[in-house]
């Protein structure tokens, strides 16, 4: 007689084997396809290098994304096909439709990210497209009677009861999750290896969380999440190897959108759409820190990546200059306060007429450079990825010992 555990172990082993094959394919395909991408005009200049004339193939997320999808299609027969052979139970139509729509949503985002790379879409579309791409999945979630209740913190239980059904708000939250995950990864970028590296670290962290939860009462959902996140993480690792310093490939918005959507999708089908945000602590910080520039309270240049210092061969914080009269006084007060707290580097009274302000571009990458001084690009990426790993540790601490106190 087979236990539920046996039913999961074999598919997971096959999943890992397929992922490793995918890893090998990505590793070889990227150099093989590089010149083809450059000829098609899909290349970028490495802005943090002394030599900016070299063309680096861009949108290489297309390669890892395609390999990921192929592996997912091949894997389809494993958890579902075996039903025809070994199981007397009815075919799991609900799970099957969830699995297929997950791939549909991810595939859509890969396609839309690629469109962005080719066409350079405006910001408003970057917000609308992930919402639309998440609709099929939300529909299936609804049909499969996915839960829309949240657990109420202990302190509030006397008034609100143990759980609260937030209904349609839950669906709005889930589609906003897709918008957040895609854009948060996209704006935490600009140095070699960071886009793909953060995706690998977050992916691995989500996988660890899923494995822990395989023993819990939502085991089936976490199993499906694992089946998606393992191939994603391992194929992205193949991309990272070419994207890390010195980059031989750029991932493009194709990858940042595809990666963000994958996290949103596994969180939705795995029923951990709140916990997943814990693995995005650096991205959430980077987003909040970026708000003044994203909403144009402070001017926002096209690129906010750090500044290359040729003499030192190191990166320094990049800055933005503006007239103090062009920014609201409330913003200036906030910037002065943050300067006091050493959270921004603000200089006032600069420029020829002494009427300009200069502040570092408001990204976590620049903040780290403000705090610890100029860094070599490769080691800066490593430090930021270690930070990502440490915050995943913090996330698991918040999720387990700490959350038990409050929930
Ligand atoms: C986002 C950021 C932008 C940042 C850019 C870098 C916001 C609002 N937008 O824009 O500030 O500069 O990502 O990815 O925060 N590049 C490098 N080295 C790298 C990665 C990228 O030089 O390691 C450069 C290349 O020229 C590449 C370009 O960035 O071609 C890609 O930028 P793109 O992804 O199109 O920028 P956005 O996502 O719009
Ligand atoms: Mg981008």
């Amino acid at each position: 007689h087979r236990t539920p555990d046996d039913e999961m172990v074999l598919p997971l082993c096959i999943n890992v084997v397929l992922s490793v094959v995918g890893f090998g394919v990505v590793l070889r395909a990227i150099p093989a396809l590089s010149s083809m991408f450059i000829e098609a005009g899909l290349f970028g200049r490495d802005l943090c290098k002394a030599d900016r004339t070299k063309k680096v193939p861009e949108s290489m997320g297309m390669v890892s994304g395609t390999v990921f999808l192929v592996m997912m299609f091949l894997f389809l027969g494993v958890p579902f096909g075996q039903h025809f052979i070994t199981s007397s139970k009815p075919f799991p139509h609900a799970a099957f439709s969830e699995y297929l729509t997950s791939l549909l949503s991810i595939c859509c985002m890969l396609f839309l990210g690629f469109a962005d790379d080719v066409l350079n879409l405006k910001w408003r579309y970057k917000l609308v497209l992930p919402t639309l791409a998440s609709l099929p999945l939300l529909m299936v979630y609804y049909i499969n009677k996915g839960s829309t209740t949240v657990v109420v913190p202990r302190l509030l239980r006397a008034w609100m009861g143990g759980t609260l059904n937030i209904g349609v708000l839950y669906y709005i939250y889930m589609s906003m999750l897709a918008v957040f995950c895609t854009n948060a990864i996209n704006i935490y970028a600009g140095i070699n290896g960071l886009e793909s590296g953060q995706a690998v670290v977050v992916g691995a962290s989500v996988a660890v969380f899923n494995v822990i939860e395989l023993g819990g009462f939502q085991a089936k959902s976490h199993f499906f999440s694992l089946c998606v996140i393992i191939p994603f993480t391992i194929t992205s690792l193949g991309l990272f190897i070419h994207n890390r310093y010195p980059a031989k490939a750029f991932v493009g918005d194709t990858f940042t959108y595809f990666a963000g959507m994958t996290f949103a999708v596994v969180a939705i089908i795995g029923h951990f759409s709140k916990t997943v945000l814990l693995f995005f602590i650096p991205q959430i910080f980077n987003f909040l820190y970026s708000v003044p520039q994203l909403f144009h309270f402070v001017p926002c240049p096209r690129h906010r990546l750090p500044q290359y210092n040729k003499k030192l061969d190191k990166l320094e914080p990049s800055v933005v200059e503006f007239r103090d009269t062009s920014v609201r006084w409330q913003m200036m007060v906030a910037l002065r306060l943050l300067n006091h707290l050493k959270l921004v580097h603000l200089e006032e009274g600069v420029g020829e007429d002494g009427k300009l302000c200069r502040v570092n571009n408001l990204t976590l990458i620049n903040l780290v450079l403000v705090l610890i001084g100029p860094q070599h690009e490769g080691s800066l990426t490593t430090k930021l990825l270690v930070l990502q790993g440490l915050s995943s540790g913090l996330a698991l601490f918040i999720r387990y010992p700490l959350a038990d106190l409050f929930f």
Side-chain angles (χ1 to χ4, degrees), residues 109 112 121-135 175 178-179 182-183 257:
M109 222 45 226
L112 294 173
L121 298 178
K122 296 233 164 62
W123 269 100
R124 48 178 176 273
Y125 301 115
K126 298 193 183 195
L127 300 182
V128 174
L129 295 176
T131 318
L132 295 177
S134 66
L135 285 181
S175 60
V179 178
T182 50
N183 286 294
Y257 284 16

CSV table of all heavy atoms in Angstrom, one decimal, residues 109 112 121-135 175 178-179 182-183 257:
chain,number,residue,atom,x,y,z
A,109,MET,N,3.3,36.1,-19.0
A,109,MET,CA,4.2,37.1,-18.4
A,109,MET,C,5.6,37.1,-19.2
A,109,MET,O,6.2,38.1,-19.3
A,109,MET,CB,4.4,36.9,-17.0
A,109,MET,CG,4.4,38.1,-16.1
A,109,MET,SD,3.1,39.2,-16.6
A,109,MET,CE,4.0,40.7,-16.6
A,112,LEU,N,4.9,38.9,-22.3
A,112,LEU,CA,4.7,40.3,-22.1
A,112,LEU,C,6.1,41.0,-21.7
A,112,LEU,O,6.3,42.1,-22.1
A,112,LEU,CB,3.7,40.6,-21.0
A,112,LEU,CG,2.3,40.2,-21.3
A,112,LEU,CD1,1.3,40.3,-20.2
A,112,LEU,CD2,1.7,41.0,-22.5
A,121,LEU,N,7.9,49.4,-23.0
A,121,LEU,CA,6.6,49.8,-22.6
A,121,LEU,C,6.6,50.9,-21.6
A,121,LEU,O,7.6,51.0,-20.9
A,121,LEU,CB,5.8,48.6,-22.1
A,121,LEU,CG,5.6,47.4,-23.1
A,121,LEU,CD1,4.9,46.3,-22.4
A,121,LEU,CD2,4.8,47.9,-24.3
A,122,LYS,N,5.5,51.7,-21.5
A,122,LYS,CA,5.4,52.7,-20.5
A,122,LYS,C,5.1,52.1,-19.1
A,122,LYS,O,4.5,51.0,-19.1
A,122,LYS,CB,4.3,53.7,-20.9
A,122,LYS,CG,4.5,54.4,-22.2
A,122,LYS,CD,4.4,55.9,-21.9
A,122,LYS,CE,5.0,56.7,-23.0
A,122,LYS,NZ,4.4,56.5,-24.3
A,123,TRP,N,5.3,52.9,-18.1
A,123,TRP,CA,5.1,52.3,-16.7
A,123,TRP,C,3.7,51.8,-16.5
A,123,TRP,O,3.5,50.8,-15.8
A,123,TRP,CB,5.5,53.4,-15.7
A,123,TRP,CG,6.9,53.2,-15.3
A,123,TRP,CD1,8.0,53.9,-15.8
A,123,TRP,CD2,7.5,52.1,-14.5
A,123,TRP,NE1,9.2,53.4,-15.3
A,123,TRP,CE2,8.9,52.3,-14.5
A,123,TRP,CE3,6.9,51.1,-13.8
A,123,TRP,CZ2,9.7,51.4,-13.8
A,123,TRP,CZ3,7.8,50.3,-13.1
A,123,TRP,CH2,9.1,50.4,-13.1
A,124,ARG,N,2.7,52.6,-17.0
A,124,ARG,CA,1.3,52.2,-16.7
A,124,ARG,C,1.0,50.8,-17.2
A,124,ARG,O,0.3,50.0,-16.6
A,124,ARG,CB,0.3,53.2,-17.3
A,124,ARG,CG,0.5,53.6,-18.7
A,124,ARG,CD,-0.6,54.6,-19.1
A,124,ARG,NE,-0.4,55.1,-20.4
A,124,ARG,CZ,0.3,56.2,-20.7
A,124,ARG,NH1,0.9,56.9,-19.7
A,124,ARG,NH2,0.4,56.6,-21.9
A,125,TYR,N,1.6,50.4,-18.4
A,125,TYR,CA,1.4,49.0,-18.9
A,125,TYR,C,2.1,48.0,-18.0
A,125,TYR,O,1.6,46.9,-17.8
A,125,TYR,CB,1.9,48.9,-20.3
A,125,TYR,CG,1.2,49.9,-21.2
A,125,TYR,CD1,1.9,50.9,-21.9
A,125,TYR,CD2,-0.2,49.8,-21.4
A,125,TYR,CE1,1.3,51.8,-22.7
A,125,TYR,CE2,-0.8,50.7,-22.3
A,125,TYR,CZ,-0.1,51.7,-22.9
A,125,TYR,OH,-0.7,52.6,-23.7
A,126,LYS,N,3.2,48.4,-17.4
A,126,LYS,CA,3.9,47.5,-16.5
A,126,LYS,C,3.1,47.1,-15.3
A,126,LYS,O,3.3,46.1,-14.7
A,126,LYS,CB,5.3,48.1,-16.1
A,126,LYS,CG,6.2,48.4,-17.2
A,126,LYS,CD,7.6,48.6,-16.8
A,126,LYS,CE,8.4,49.0,-18.0
A,126,LYS,NZ,9.9,49.0,-17.7
A,127,LEU,N,2.1,48.0,-15.0
A,127,LEU,CA,1.3,47.7,-13.8
A,127,LEU,C,0.0,47.0,-14.3
A,127,LEU,O,-0.5,46.1,-13.5
A,127,LEU,CB,0.8,49.1,-13.2
A,127,LEU,CG,2.0,49.9,-12.6
A,127,LEU,CD1,1.4,51.2,-12.0
A,127,LEU,CD2,2.8,49.1,-11.7
A,128,VAL,N,-0.5,47.2,-15.5
A,128,VAL,CA,-1.7,46.6,-15.9
A,128,VAL,C,-1.5,45.1,-16.4
A,128,VAL,O,-2.2,44.3,-16.0
A,128,VAL,CB,-2.3,47.4,-17.1
A,128,VAL,CG1,-3.5,46.7,-17.7
A,128,VAL,CG2,-2.7,48.8,-16.6
A,129,LEU,N,-0.3,44.9,-17.1
A,129,LEU,CA,-0.1,43.6,-17.7
A,129,LEU,C,-0.1,42.5,-16.7
A,129,LEU,O,-0.7,41.4,-16.9
A,129,LEU,CB,1.1,43.6,-18.6
A,129,LEU,CG,1.0,44.6,-19.8
A,129,LEU,CD1,2.3,44.6,-20.6
A,129,LEU,CD2,-0.2,44.1,-20.7
A,130,PRO,N,0.7,42.6,-15.6
A,130,PRO,CA,0.7,41.5,-14.6
A,130,PRO,C,-0.7,41.2,-14.1
A,130,PRO,O,-1.1,40.0,-13.8
A,130,PRO,CB,1.6,41.9,-13.5
A,130,PRO,CG,2.4,43.0,-14.1
A,130,PRO,CD,1.6,43.6,-15.2
A,131,THR,N,-1.5,42.3,-13.9
A,131,THR,CA,-2.9,42.1,-13.4
A,131,THR,C,-3.7,41.2,-14.3
A,131,THR,O,-4.3,40.2,-13.9
A,131,THR,CB,-3.6,43.4,-13.2
A,131,THR,OG1,-2.7,44.4,-12.7
A,131,THR,CG2,-4.8,43.3,-12.3
A,132,LEU,N,-3.6,41.5,-15.6
A,132,LEU,CA,-4.3,40.8,-16.6
A,132,LEU,C,-3.8,39.3,-16.7
A,132,LEU,O,-4.6,38.4,-16.8
A,132,LEU,CB,-4.2,41.5,-18.0
A,132,LEU,CG,-4.8,42.8,-18.1
A,132,LEU,CD1,-4.6,43.5,-19.4
A,132,LEU,CD2,-6.3,42.8,-17.8
A,133,ALA,N,-2.5,39.2,-16.6
A,133,ALA,CA,-1.9,37.8,-16.8
A,133,ALA,C,-2.3,36.9,-15.6
A,133,ALA,O,-2.3,35.7,-15.7
A,133,ALA,CB,-0.4,37.9,-16.9
A,134,SER,N,-2.7,37.6,-14.5
A,134,SER,CA,-3.1,36.7,-13.3
A,134,SER,C,-4.6,36.3,-13.3
A,134,SER,O,-5.0,35.5,-12.5
A,134,SER,CB,-2.7,37.5,-12.0
A,134,SER,OG,-3.6,38.6,-11.9
A,135,LEU,N,-5.3,36.9,-14.2
A,135,LEU,CA,-6.8,36.7,-14.2
A,135,LEU,C,-7.2,35.2,-14.4
A,135,LEU,O,-8.0,34.7,-13.7
A,135,LEU,CB,-7.5,37.6,-15.3
A,135,LEU,CG,-7.7,39.0,-14.9
A,135,LEU,CD1,-8.4,39.8,-16.0
A,135,LEU,CD2,-8.4,39.2,-13.5
A,175,SER,N,-4.1,39.6,-7.1
A,175,SER,CA,-3.6,40.2,-8.4
A,175,SER,C,-2.6,41.3,-8.2
A,175,SER,O,-1.7,41.5,-9.0
A,175,SER,CB,-4.8,40.7,-9.3
A,175,SER,OG,-5.5,41.7,-8.6
A,178,ALA,N,0.9,39.8,-7.9
A,178,ALA,CA,1.5,39.6,-9.2
A,178,ALA,C,2.2,40.9,-9.7
A,178,ALA,O,3.3,40.9,-10.2
A,178,ALA,CB,0.5,39.1,-10.2
A,179,VAL,N,1.5,42.0,-9.5
A,179,VAL,CA,2.1,43.3,-9.9
A,179,VAL,C,3.3,43.6,-9.1
A,179,VAL,O,4.4,44.0,-9.6
A,179,VAL,CB,1.0,44.5,-9.8
A,179,VAL,CG1,1.7,45.8,-10.1
A,179,VAL,CG2,-0.2,44.2,-10.6
A,182,THR,N,6.5,41.2,-9.8
A,182,THR,CA,7.2,41.4,-11.1
A,182,THR,C,8.0,42.7,-11.0
A,182,THR,O,9.2,42.7,-11.4
A,182,THR,CB,6.2,41.5,-12.2
A,182,THR,OG1,5.1,42.4,-11.9
A,182,THR,CG2,5.5,40.2,-12.5
A,183,ASN,N,7.3,43.8,-10.6
A,183,ASN,CA,8.0,45.1,-10.6
A,183,ASN,C,9.1,45.2,-9.5
A,183,ASN,O,10.1,45.9,-9.7
A,183,ASN,CB,7.0,46.2,-10.5
A,183,ASN,CG,6.2,46.4,-11.8
A,183,ASN,OD1,6.8,46.7,-12.8
A,183,ASN,ND2,4.9,46.0,-11.8
A,257,TYR,N,10.0,39.8,-15.2
A,257,TYR,CA,8.6,39.6,-15.2
A,257,TYR,C,8.2,38.1,-15.0
A,257,TYR,O,7.3,37.8,-14.2
A,257,TYR,CB,7.9,40.2,-16.4
A,257,TYR,CG,7.9,41.7,-16.4
A,257,TYR,CD1,8.6,42.4,-15.5
A,257,TYR,CD2,7.1,42.4,-17.2
A,257,TYR,CE1,8.6,43.8,-15.4
A,257,TYR,CE2,7.0,43.8,-17.2
A,257,TYR,CZ,7.8,44.5,-16.3
A,257,TYR,OH,7.8,45.8,-16.2
